[in-house]
Amino acid sequence: MRALFILSLFLFNSYLVVAQDTDSKPATRAIYAELGGVGLPYSFNYDFRFDKTRMDSWGMRVGFGGYAMEGDSFFSLPVMVNKLYGKGNHFFEMGFGATFLAFNNDTYTNCYYDQNGIYTCSSTSDAGTNFILDIDGSPSVMGVLNFGYRRMPTDGGFMWKINLNPIFNNNGFWPLFAGVGFGYAF
C-alpha cells in the first residue's frame, strides 16, 4: 500500500511538471523606466504585445513622465505602437507614436519705480518652452519614432533596451534623441 501511495505521488508530481512546461507562455508584457526616449526627460511605461503568444509581434506602449521644480512643471504622456523583430531574448524594436505634453512656466513679475516715482509691476510669461525643439504652448504634441535594441527574457525577468528616438513637431525635426530603459518582463 505504501509503495502504491509513493508511486501515485511520483506520477502526480510528474504530471504537474509536464503541465507547467506545456502551459508556459512567453513574456509579452513589460514595465520599465526610461531615461530620455519618447517620454522626453524620463518616463515609466507599460508595454504589451497584441498577440499574447508571440514576443516578435506588434504591440503598444503607454507611459507617463515629467518633472516639477521651482514653479516649473512638465508632464509627458507617450503613446506608441511598436513591433519587435527577432528570436530568443534579442529583438530589434521599431515604432511610431506621439507624446502629449503639458507644462507650466512660472510667471515672472517685474516691479520697479517708474520715472514719476510710481511703483509699477508688469508680468511676463513664457508662452512656450524648449525641450530639444521649441514647443509653442501647452498642451502640445510631439511625433516620435523608435529604432533600437531590446533584451527581453522569454520567460520573464529583467529586461533592458536602448533606442534612437527621432522627435518632430511643427517647429522642426531632431533625429538624434536617444533613450535607455530598464524594467521587468512578464
Side-chain angles (χ1 to χ4, degrees):
M1 183 69 161
R2 187 175 200 188
L4 184 60
F5 176 74
I6 291 174
L7 180 64
S8 309
L9 189 60
F10 177 75
L11 290 174
F12 181 71
N13 283 336
S14 298
Y15 172 75
L16 288 178
V17 170
V18 170
Q20 288 175 353
D21 287 343
T22 59
D23 290 343
S24 69
K25 295 179 183 175
T28 57
R29 296 175 288 171
I31 54 173
Y32 58 92
E34 185 174 44
L35 181 61
V38 300
L40 300 180
Y42 69 88
S43 60
F44 298 99
N45 301 278
Y46 173 69
D47 185 284
F48 61 93
R49 306 287 98 209
F50 295 132
D51 183 354
K52 294 184 185 336
T53 62
R54 295 185 52 193
M55 291 176 64
D56 61 338
S57 64
W58 284 95
M60 184 174 190
R61 84 179 251 184
V62 178
F64 67 92
Y67 62 85
M69 60 185 167
E70 297 180 12
D72 291 341
S73 62
F74 183 88
F75 175 76
S76 65
L77 181 77
V79 177
M80 175 176 277
V81 174
N82 57 25
K83 174 119 169 67
L84 298 180
Y85 297 94
K87 293 183 180 177
N89 296 335
H90 307 281
F91 296 95
F92 174 73
E93 180 178 4
M94 188 171 66
F96 61 92
T99 299
F100 301 93
L101 311 168
F103 54 89
N104 180 26
N105 291 345
D106 241 355
T107 300
Y108 301 99
T109 304
N110 184 14
C111 296
Y112 59 92
Y113 286 98
D114 68 8
Q115 63 190 4
N116 298 326
I118 300 172
Y119 190 70
T120 305
C121 291
S122 62
S123 296
T124 60
S125 176
D126 186 12
T129 192
N130 183 312
F131 190 89
I132 308 298
L133 296 171
D134 288 336
I135 302 169
D136 292 336
S138 179
S140 187
V141 176
M142 275 194 170
V144 290
L145 300 173
N146 185 34
F147 305 99
Y149 172 78
R150 184 189 291 201
R151 167 79 165 69
M152 194 157 128
T154 56
D155 296 334
F158 177 73
M159 62 83 62
W160 62 274
K161 59 188 274 171
I162 185 164
N163 296 307
L164 181 63
N165 302 106
I167 59 175
F168 56 92
N169 65 10
N170 60 331
N171 293 318
F173 176 75
W174 185 256
L176 298 176
F177 195 62
V180 60
F182 301 96
Y184 183 76
F186 56 99

